[in-house]
Amino acid sequence: MKKLIVGNWKMNQTLPLAKAFFSELKTVELEHEAWIAPQALHVSTCLHMSPDFIKIGAQNISNEDHGAFTGENSSFSLKELGGKFVIVGHSERRHLYAETSSLCAKKIRKALSHGLNVIYCVGETLDEREQNKTSQVIETQLKEGLHDLGPYASELLIIAYEPVWAIGTGKVATPDQAQEVHAGIRKIVGDETRILYGGSVKPENVVELLNEKDIDGALVGGASLKAADFIALCQAQL
Ligand code: PGA
């Protein structure tokens, strides 16, 4: 079955490196769907450099369309450029920039209203996992972030489960640990909504994760920066 691999480049990659990355991608036919979120300043250039089969999106977005919001980027402008998706509520946004699930709810509604796909990230910290609070934390993040959306199973909505303790640490959740949380998320969002796993996904562990029933793809940081690794992820044989 076709899965979705989303590369989150964070504040990495130079334009020459991005160009080389996309040139390499143009030479292959990918098994799975592939999306890339470069830093906002690179979105426009990446839209021109990337092959047509790659969707380009943003790592964060404003909850407003226009106006006096210095430094913000709007869904309206992303859509106007040709961007296709936004990531909302990444743990780095939550922990470094104090973004709350209720702010995420506003961003999600705004992006969906412009027809953009939204990847809404949820995940527990190590402390929360050790206190057996994982499902409670995820449920609250989902309830607050998806509050007032109407039917959760909007085709445009995607959930990413990213345990905070697994992001950029090399500590990946075991397939069982990930599947258990994904099954809980599935009960809340339904069968139509894709659920990605994120947190130290790499070519060596992607197959066992993607083989889990409720894991529809991966949100990948570090291993999405090099074309060879990203291609390997997108070619995973399941
Ligand atoms: P990582 O990042 O793959 O480097 O752990 C994942 C993410 O932050 O989305």
Side-chain angles (χ1 to χ4, degrees):
M1 222 235 308
K2 238 184 179 200
K3 304 277 182 169
L4 170 60
I5 310 294
V6 182
N8 170 13
W9 281 356
K10 309 193 180 183
M11 207 167 70
N12 293 305
Q13 220 68 311
T14 60
L15 286 176
L17 285 174
K19 188 167 186 215
F21 178 97
F22 290 124
S23 305
E24 214 168 320
L25 246 75
K26 282 181 186 157
T27 64
V28 291
E29 208 172 300
L30 302 178
E31 181 85 17
H32 304 293
E33 208 178 327
W35 300 3
I36 293 286
Q39 50 178 310
L41 291 173
H42 288 176
V43 164
S44 179
T45 312
C46 287
L47 275 159
H48 290 105
M49 295 191 306
S50 57
D52 291 344
F53 59 83
I54 303 265
K55 282 190 192 179
I56 301 293
Q59 299 168 12
N60 176 37
I61 209 72
S62 172
N63 55 310
E64 302 285 350
D65 272 335
H66 310 275
F69 302 103
T70 302
E72 290 290 288
N73 299 295
S74 71
S75 287
F76 175 87
S77 301
L78 181 67
K79 180 80 180 182
E80 200 176 33
L81 280 179
K84 295 284 192 281
F85 72 95
V86 297
I87 299 173
V88 174
H90 188 278
S91 78
E92 286 149 21
R93 303 287 326 162
R94 290 179 188 269
H95 295 112
L96 302 174
Y97 302 98
E99 202 161 286
T100 61
S101 295
S102 47
L103 176 60
C104 292
K106 293 183 190 154
K107 295 182 172 197
I108 293 170
R109 271 206 299 282
K110 184 60 80 183
L112 292 177
S113 77
H114 287 287
L116 296 166
N117 277 112
V118 170
I119 302 175
Y120 178 49
C121 303
V122 295
E124 82 287 4
T125 61
L126 187 57
D127 249 21
E128 290 163 340
R129 173 162 280 269
E130 284 172 354
Q131 291 171 43
N132 285 325
K133 287 190 180 154
T134 301
S135 51
Q136 186 191 325
V137 168
I138 306 285
E139 208 170 297
T140 306
Q141 289 171 336
L142 288 175
K143 280 205 179 122
E144 291 178 0
L146 305 181
H147 146 82
D148 242 10
L149 266 196
Y152 282 172
S154 151
E155 270 178 33
L156 293 172
L157 179 69
I158 296 167
I159 306 296
Y161 168 54
E162 298 205 303
V164 178
W165 48 271
I167 297 178
T169 58
K171 276 189 213 152
V172 65
T174 65
D176 284 353
Q177 281 174 324
Q179 169 57 30
E180 191 186 350
V181 178
H182 279 232
I185 297 173
R186 175 77 66 215
K187 279 199 197 130
I188 298 174
V189 299
D191 287 340
E192 306 303 314
T193 301
R194 288 185 278 186
I195 309 171
L196 313 180
Y197 168 79
S200 298
V201 175
K202 37 185 184 282
E204 299 75 45
N205 58 26
V206 71
V207 172
E208 52 176 16
L209 287 161
L210 294 186
N211 268 328
E212 291 294 336
K213 176 169 163 286
D214 291 303
I215 302 188
D216 302 312
L219 178 55
V220 188
S224 71
L225 291 169
K226 288 206 180 105
D229 288 343
F230 188 68
I231 290 169
L233 295 171
C234 295
Q235 303 290 38
Q237 298 297 309
L238 307 179

